Amino acid sequence: MRSLAVAAVAGVVAAACGSRGADELPAELLQSAVTALGEDSVVTLASGDTVRLSSHTAAFYEGRAYAAAWVDSRRLGEQGRAVYEALSRSDEDGLPPQQYRHDVAAALLSALEPERRSDRLPDSVAVRYLADLDLLLTEGFGRYARDLVAGTLDPTEAGLDWRIQGEVADAGAVLNNAAGGRDPGEIVEHLRPSIPYYERMRTALAAYRAAADRGGWSVIPEGATLREGERNEAVVLLRRRFLSGMDPREAELAQVGAGDSTLFDASLKEAVQHFQQRHSIEADGAVGAATLRELNHTVEDRIAEMRLNLDRWRWLPNELGERFVIVNIAGFELELVDGGRAIESMNVVVGRLERATPIFADSIQHVVVNPYWNVPDGIYRNDVVPAMERDPQYLVRNDMEFVDGRVRQRPGPRNSLGRYKFLFPNEFDVYLHDTPEGQLFSRVNRDFSSGCIRLERPEDFARLLLDLQTDDGASQLDPLLTHWNESWIKLDRTLPVYLLYFTAWVDENGTVRFHHDVYGRDGKLETQAEDRLQAPDEPPRIALRPQG
């Protein structure tokens, strides 16, 4: 759970406001810094650096009568060092420590704890540095808490539609719990999303950061087209790329033929196919332009993608439910998750760019068998009307009819929704459904629909859904499949469904996959991430719903 108990806060504050020992930092130093803020809330430190203080930091010190939380008049305390160390590990969540001014805190600490006694600061300067260090750790840990819960990037600011309500950390409770003696590492663990996808991404990120520390991987020369049976010096680099890459299966296959390293053999072709599958490329086993482009992305590129996608997980509620459906639009895939693991997965078709599938969350309430298709107004105007102008018999040939001034398609083999429709009422009129165009699921890129999500195996999904979410189970489906009359089945227990967009994804077995940015959303977010990193003292993002 990310919620932190705040019942003990009053006791923490009372203890902080008690009598001061001889070694305590004078409260006047912190009081003058916090209360003398200008409109921009920026404090100039004794070292010449600056930090923007949030209202949470000001309230934290006011509640403590401006007593220092992490230092005394001589040194950084044990709890302060634990906060400092927690901030140093923020990159484990894809959150660079400099966003929390850890670099400035490190410089202050280095000045306060020099290797040589002769480099010691004068007492009058040291006490100011200690006050500044206390401020930095408070502001940094509060920011870290907020970012872990709500994320650092704002999809709305990037011009992206996002309809899922997030959460916000109670930074005051977090700071008071840490100042009261609670382990900062434990606090961070509780603040992290408990979604299994998030933890898998963190694990993968650590592996990629370790690869970066080793120097990354080989670059394959531009223009090389490599395929099975060829001998080429570039094949040596290709093997090396897989051996130093991040996928164990690819490394294993590349090692098989390493004794004849210039030959593109069958095992290397299999390694290439595995790589292509992980990167949403047609798995022909040859290294063409598309495969070469993905191979030559640097490890730093991939780390940046993972960081961005970790932030996407933080935009979500912490609890998605014990059982839920997740559609990854960018990956053209669906999973039904139960108890933290996927019990069903399948390919899907999503909306093409000009009719993009929206991002939102809802709950599946009905399974409709043999559905009518009520043609949406946009599709009617843009598709049906032009087709009718070209062919006056278009409606008849496609089993369509006018009803109350609107066009609908009757149930049957030609129906665009097939046999099944899964409804979760929403303003976009988007749902999951069957399709007669089954050939589309074998494509690598599956953005063909007008916004709804087509399922590869809708009957399997329907039967599982009815077994899990209704008292009568999937047996009630069988008599409805003997005819083409529309029938509605109401779920006894609705099922949360999340339509999301992730360009980096980690499977349960640890396989890391990178998807094409089919809707062009990553670029806008990457620009925002760069701006935040270069200006870490800009006001923090405000999340949508208080957590607690």
Side-chain angles (χ1 to χ4, degrees):
M1 292 179 57
R2 288 156 111 177
S3 298
L4 291 171
V6 296
V9 170
V12 171
V13 174
C17 296
S19 58
R20 295 179 184 147
D23 287 339
E24 289 189 8
L25 192 75
E28 293 77 11
L29 283 172
L30 289 168
Q31 184 174 9
S32 62
V34 172
T35 57
L37 294 175
E39 290 185 4
D40 59 1
S41 301
V42 170
V43 172
T44 300
L45 307 178
S47 61
D49 295 294
T50 61
V51 62
R52 187 187 301 272
L53 298 186
S54 67
S55 59
H56 300 97
T57 295
F60 171 72
Y61 282 112
E62 183 179 359
R64 298 173 56 81
Y66 301 99
W70 322 112
V71 305
D72 56 34
S73 63
R74 299 179 181 178
R75 59 182 175 81
L76 180 64
E78 181 180 346
Q79 196 69 359
R81 196 166 294 277
V83 169
Y84 176 82
E85 292 299 326
L87 291 176
S88 75
R89 296 190 300 273
S90 66
D91 217 13
E92 295 174 5
D93 288 275
L95 298 168
Q98 59 264 42
Q99 288 188 177
Y100 311 109
R101 311 314 304 273
H102 185 269
D103 51 342
V104 180
L108 290 177
L109 194 57
S110 177
L112 287 162
E113 299 177 350
E115 294 182 2
R116 298 178 302 179
R117 291 184 59 85
S118 59
D119 293 333
R120 287 185 60 180
L121 295 171
D123 289 347
S124 60
V125 176
V127 74
R128 289 193 61 196
Y129 272 37
L130 284 163
D132 291 346
L133 182 59
D134 207 82
L135 280 174
L136 282 169
L137 293 180
T138 298
E139 180 62 28
F141 200 58
R143 288 187 196 184
Y144 187 23
R146 292 194 299 268
D147 289 351
L148 273 175
V149 173
T152 63
L153 305 179
D154 186 348
T156 303
E157 182 183 315
L160 306 177
D161 200 18
W162 181 268
R163 302 296 184 95
I164 304 175
Q165 199 171 49
E167 299 177 8
V168 62
D170 185 342
V174 167
L175 291 169
N176 279 303
N177 273 277
R182 186 170 180 179
D183 178 13
E186 179 186 315
I187 291 174
V188 167
E189 183 64 32
H190 279 263
L191 290 171
R192 281 193 185 109
S194 60
I195 304 166
Y197 296 95
Y198 183 85
E199 189 57 35
R200 297 202 295 260
M201 186 76 76
R202 282 185 70 243
T203 300
L205 175 64
Y208 275 71
R209 289 179 61 220
D213 292 341
R214 295 193 299 268
W217 44 63
S218 305
V219 174
I220 316 300
E222 293 291 334
T225 299
L226 308 173
R227 54 178 53 88
E228 186 180 9
E230 292 184 354
R231 287 187 181 277
N232 193 314
E233 288 301 319
V235 174
V236 178
L237 295 175
L238 180 62
R239 286 189 189 281
R240 197 175 298 158
R241 167 68 175 81
F242 287 139
L243 290 170
S244 61
M246 302 310 304
D247 188 88
R249 179 60 178 159
E250 290 159 19
E252 177 186 8
L253 290 166
Q255 184 65 49
V256 170
D260 190 354
S261 59
T262 63
L263 176 64
F264 195 125
D265 58 11
S267 63
L268 190 58
K269 176 182 178 179
E270 192 176 342
V272 171
Q273 288 174 319
H274 192 271
F275 178 88
Q276 290 169 328
Q277 290 164 353
R278 290 198 302 117
H279 293 79
S280 300
I281 304 169
E282 193 71 43
D284 60 5
V287 179
T291 303
L292 190 64
R293 184 168 53 250
E294 296 298 328
L295 282 166
N296 285 340
H297 274 293
T298 66
V299 67
E300 289 78 16
D301 292 338
R302 296 309 189 192
I303 288 171
E305 289 179 63
M306 288 184 177
R307 281 177 166 159
L308 189 154
N309 283 276
L310 276 169
D311 214 58
R312 283 185 166 117
W313 286 117
R314 292 188 286 260
W315 301 346
L316 294 170
N318 183 53
E319 298 295 336
L320 300 185
E322 178 65 17
R323 181 183 296 153
F324 57 88
V325 172
I326 189 167
V327 175
N328 181 14
I329 297 166
F332 313 115
E333 59 197 342
L334 171 148
E335 290 187 350
L336 197 163
V337 177
D338 191 5
R341 56 178 291 269
I343 60 173
E344 179 62 279
S345 60
M346 64 185 69
N347 293 333
V348 301
V349 170
V350 303
R352 51 192 182 273
L353 179 59
E354 64 272 18
R355 298 181 184 178
T357 299
I359 296 173
F360 67 101
D362 214 299
S363 292
I364 300 175
Q365 300 180 12
H366 293 91
V367 177
V368 184
V369 185
N370 305 320
Y372 281 96
W373 179 41
N374 298 300
V375 180
D377 291 340
I379 295 177
Y380 175 72
R381 288 192 307 271
N382 298 323
D383 299 328
V384 175
V385 170
M388 290 169 58
E389 291 172 349
R390 292 190 300 269
D391 177 8
Q393 296 300 308
Y394 177 82
L395 294 185
V396 174
R397 288 192 305 98
N398 288 280
D399 292 335
M400 290 181 169
E401 59 186 3
F402 273 103
V403 177
D404 297 329
R406 298 192 64 179
V407 171
R408 71 177 184 178
Q409 188 177 38
R410 291 183 288 271
R414 298 178 182 175
N415 187 281
S416 296
L417 305 185
R419 280 276 196 180
Y420 304 94
K421 179 169 70 170
F422 306 89
L423 284 180
F424 37 100
N426 60 83
E427 63 181 289
F428 308 103
D429 197 24
V430 165
Y431 40 83
L432 312 178
H433 66 86
D434 187 5
T435 176
E437 298 182 285
Q439 76 280 1
L440 296 178
F441 294 104
S442 62
R443 305 275 188 92
V444 172
N445 296 313
R446 296 185 290 276
D447 49 335
F448 299 109
S449 84
S450 295
C452 288
I453 298 105
R454 307 175 191 176
L455 305 187
E456 181 180 29
R457 291 182 288 102
E459 183 167 343
D460 291 348
F461 185 72
R463 291 187 179 279
L464 182 57
L465 199 61
L466 294 174
D467 276 338
L468 293 173
Q469 305 301 119
T470 69
D471 297 332
D472 293 335
S475 60
Q476 59 191 304
L477 197 60
D478 297 326
L480 305 180
L481 299 177
T482 61
H483 55 74
W484 284 99
N485 299 323
E486 183 179 79
S487 302
W488 287 52
I489 303 174
K490 188 178 189 302
L491 301 184
D492 297 311
R493 297 168 291 280
T494 62
L495 185 65
V497 58
Y498 299 88
L499 309 187
L500 305 174
Y501 189 92
F502 287 90
T503 51
W505 188 269
V506 184
D507 292 338
E508 288 182 10
N509 64 6
T511 298
V512 183
R513 294 188 283 127
F514 295 97
H515 302 301
H516 303 312
D517 185 14
V518 291
Y519 292 166
R521 297 183 171 180
D522 281 8
K524 294 179 179 178
L525 292 169
E526 286 164 359
T527 298
Q528 189 184 128
E530 258 326 291
D531 292 344
R532 294 284 167 89
L533 191 57
Q534 292 174 7
D537 274 327
E538 287 304 302
R541 175 189 175 213
I542 303 300
L544 300 177
R545 184 180 64 214
Q547 171 205 306

